[in-house]
Amino acid sequence: MEQTVEQKLKALYELQTIHTKIDRIRQVRGELPMEVADLEDDVAGLETRIQKIKYELDDVEDEIVTRKNLIKDAQANIKKYETQLNEVKNNREYDAISKEIEIQGLDIQVSEKKIREFGFEISSKTQVYEKALADLEARKSDLDAKKDELGVITAETEKEENDLVAQAEKATPNIEERLLTAYNRLRQNAKNGLAVVTIQRDSCSGCFNQIPPQRQSDIRQRKKIIVCEHCGRILVDEQMALEAENA
């Protein structure tokens, strides 16, 4: 059976009332779900950073071990060359072996310099590593607190929200597709989620702009769907709101 305009308005207002209750429940949770998600991202990012720094520290430690081994090899070579110096038979051999000893000595100096540089790098990276660990613990603590807070609020409101969502799904088929599309678009564009509003003190309760007396009279007659000239919201009279509350 074709619905009257009044029936269409009542169906729209009923859906709006249900959605407003859902919105209020979600407002109680506020920014908590987003804050939890942000903290989870922070924790994951810090864990990745800490792991990266740890790998870098391990690499530097390996470099130090390599350089120390090079120093040992060079020192062993110097001892070997010094022994050979005692056995040389001419100046040419003496100069060649002396040159090798000098090269090994330079290699030792380079490795010692690198080890000092690596030591400074380890000190710097360790400070960053320890700060990242402290930041991670702080973020984890914040995350646990926010999760607990969200869990309490969710537990208190979950059943009510699920019931309201079911009511909204049940109410939706009672509204023709064209009106439902307009309703959803208005809800999406409105900061407070209100697509259907009442007249209050001769004004639109959505944008608070005044409604001319004749237009108010047309709204109260419920003969056609009328929208606010300023915000585009669907308007219903105060009596319809009272009827919905007492239903």
Side-chain angles (χ1 to χ4, degrees):
M1 183 181 295
E2 178 69 24
Q3 286 183 317
T4 65
V5 171
E6 183 174 354
Q7 288 171 327
K8 292 177 182 179
L9 287 169
K10 283 183 176 179
L12 282 169
Y13 189 74
E14 177 188 355
L15 183 61
Q16 177 66 78
T17 301
I18 296 168
H19 278 151
T20 298
K21 290 177 181 177
I22 294 172
D23 291 343
R24 284 173 184 163
I25 289 173
R26 290 174 179 172
Q27 283 170 4
V28 171
R29 290 199 293 267
E31 299 294 324
L32 273 176
M34 191 177 298
E35 288 176 16
V36 167
D38 288 344
L39 283 168
E40 287 174 337
D41 288 343
D42 287 347
V43 167
L46 282 167
E47 287 175 338
T48 300
R49 187 182 181 199
I50 287 166
Q51 193 61 49
K52 181 174 180 290
I53 296 170
K54 189 174 183 303
Y55 286 145
E56 290 172 352
L57 284 168
D58 289 343
D59 288 342
V60 176
E61 291 284 1
D62 289 343
E63 288 287 347
I64 289 175
V65 170
T66 299
R67 287 291 174 177
K68 285 181 176 180
N69 288 333
L70 288 173
I71 290 172
K72 286 180 182 179
D73 291 342
Q75 288 171 338
N77 287 334
I78 288 172
K79 285 183 179 180
K80 181 183 70 173
Y81 292 135
E82 285 175 344
T83 301
Q84 291 176 1
L85 277 177
N86 298 324
E87 301 172 358
V88 297
K89 297 177 181 178
N90 54 57
N91 290 337
R92 185 171 59 82
E93 289 181 2
Y94 183 90
D95 290 342
I97 294 173
S98 295
K99 186 65 175 177
E100 288 296 335
I101 292 174
E102 182 183 351
I103 291 170
Q104 296 300 315
L106 290 172
D107 286 345
I108 290 172
Q109 290 178 24
V110 169
S111 290
E112 288 174 340
K113 181 174 181 292
K114 284 291 184 182
I115 288 172
R116 288 194 296 272
E117 290 174 354
F118 289 143
F120 291 133
E121 187 175 350
I122 285 174
S123 177
S124 175
K125 285 185 183 295
T126 299
Q127 289 180 8
V128 175
Y129 180 77
E130 289 174 350
K131 184 180 184 306
L133 282 175
D135 288 344
L136 177 61
E137 289 307 310
R139 291 290 189 281
K140 281 184 174 180
S141 178
D142 291 343
L143 177 59
D144 289 341
K146 290 293 182 183
K147 278 185 172 180
D148 289 344
E149 187 179 351
L150 180 59
V152 169
I153 293 173
T154 300
E156 291 173 350
T157 60
E158 187 173 23
K159 185 180 183 305
E160 183 182 0
E161 182 179 356
N162 289 340
D163 289 344
L164 288 167
V165 169
Q167 288 178 34
E169 290 174 352
K170 186 178 179 181
T172 299
N174 297 328
I175 302 169
E176 64 181 77
E177 188 175 346
R178 177 182 61 85
L179 284 175
L180 188 60
T181 299
Y183 170 84
N184 288 330
R185 185 176 63 251
L186 284 166
R187 255 182 66 77
Q188 187 175 5
N189 293 335
K191 288 183 179 179
N192 54 12
L194 293 176
V196 184
V197 296
T198 59
I199 303 169
Q200 290 183 6
R201 297 178 182 177
D202 300 325
S203 300
C204 166
S205 62
C207 66
F208 308 110
N209 280 291
Q210 195 164 21
I211 302 170
Q214 182 56 50
R215 200 165 184 79
Q216 290 185 47
S217 176
D218 293 339
I219 292 166
R220 292 190 180 99
Q221 289 179 31
R222 306 176 186 176
K223 299 296 183 183
K224 57 183 177 179
I225 293 174
I226 297 173
V227 301
C228 174
E229 295 176 341
H230 300 279
C231 66
R233 291 179 173 90
I234 298 167
L235 293 164
V236 297
D237 58 276
E238 312 95 310
Q239 186 60 36
M240 181 172 287
L242 289 173
E243 292 169 4
E245 289 176 7
N246 297 327

